[in-house]
Structures are given as C-alpha cells and as structure tokens.
Amino acid sequence: ALHRSCVVRALKRVQNDTEAQNWSYSQFETIEAAQPFLVQIHQTGKRSIVCLDEQMGSKGGILTGIQGTRWLINELGFRGIIISTSGDPDAGLLHLSAGAHGNWGKPLPAHSRILGDILAAFSGTAA
C-alpha cells in the first residue's frame, strides 16, 4: 500500500506539472477486483493510466501483474497506458514485452523520467 501511495503522489505531480484536468485515482488490491472498473473505463474511451505490481496474490488475487497486462491488451483491447511498478526488474521487463508502456521499479524513478514516460505514452512515442 505504501508503494501505491507513492505512485499516486508521483502521478499527481505529473498532473500538476502538465496542468492536466479531471484526473481521478482508484486503487485495487487485485487484478480481479479491478477488472469491472477497467472494463467500464475502457468502454468510456477515457484516457487512462494503469499501474500494475507483479505480486498481487497476497490480498487473494489469482492473476499476476503480467497476466493483468496481457488481459488488458489482448482480451480487453485496452487503449490506455500501462506501467509496471514491480520491484522485480525481471518482472518489469516481462511487463514491457507483454505491451506495458513503462517500467517503474522500486524505488520509483526520478520525476523527470516518470513525466517523460507519461508524455511519451500519451503522444504514442513510448518504446
């Protein structure tokens, strides 16, 4: 939960720096708990940023973050931004190979990198 609050704080700083409007923040303990919300957001067509840790089973989840990334892209057809926030560097690389737009390990990278990753993903130039 501490890492999630750090990610939200980092995204709020990006929001302030870009003068973006109307961002909302939702947190879920598992992929399964987030799925109905993500389907709803996807259906609205709103730009979205989803940050996924790899190990989400401690709160009863079955799907890993990589499986969540694959579900978002392959099954849902998600058009938003997906960022891995796993502390495991190998898992972060697997998130990227599955289609995530960024990989922010623990501790989080510098604000300039977070800002750059988000701006690149929104402009369609993310790696």
Side-chain angles (χ1 to χ4, degrees):
L2 175 62
H3 188 65
R4 277 198 312 261
S5 65
C6 292
V7 171
V8 168
R9 197 170 36 248
L11 290 173
K12 285 182 178 181
R13 189 168 171 206
V14 168
Q15 179 183 359
N16 289 336
D17 286 357
T18 60
E19 299 180 7
Q21 300 292 317
N22 302 318
W23 285 21
S24 61
Y25 301 87
S26 302
Q27 297 181 46
F28 299 92
E29 298 288 338
T30 66
I31 300 288
E32 294 84 355
Q35 283 177 316
F37 176 80
L38 293 168
V39 168
Q40 181 182 17
I41 288 295
H42 174 70
Q43 290 171 342
T44 67
K46 290 182 180 178
R47 288 180 147 187
S48 303
I49 302 169
V50 174
C51 298
L52 295 171
D53 195 351
E54 178 55 20
Q55 301 300 324
M56 301 183 76
S58 66
K59 299 295 182 177
I62 296 170
L63 296 175
T64 65
I66 293 165
Q67 291 169 319
T69 296
R70 290 182 181 134
W71 172 79
L72 282 163
I73 294 169
N74 300 331
E75 293 183 39
L76 189 59
F78 187 72
R79 295 178 301 272
I81 297 169
I82 302 170
I83 304 290
S84 169
T85 57
S86 178
D88 177 351
D90 293 333
L93 294 175
L94 288 172
H95 279 257
L96 291 172
S97 69
H101 299 90
N103 175 22
W104 303 338
K106 297 174 185 173
L108 287 176
H111 173 68
S112 58
R113 175 162 163 226
I114 292 172
L115 177 62
D117 285 352
I118 295 296
L119 293 175
F122 274 133
S123 71
T125 61

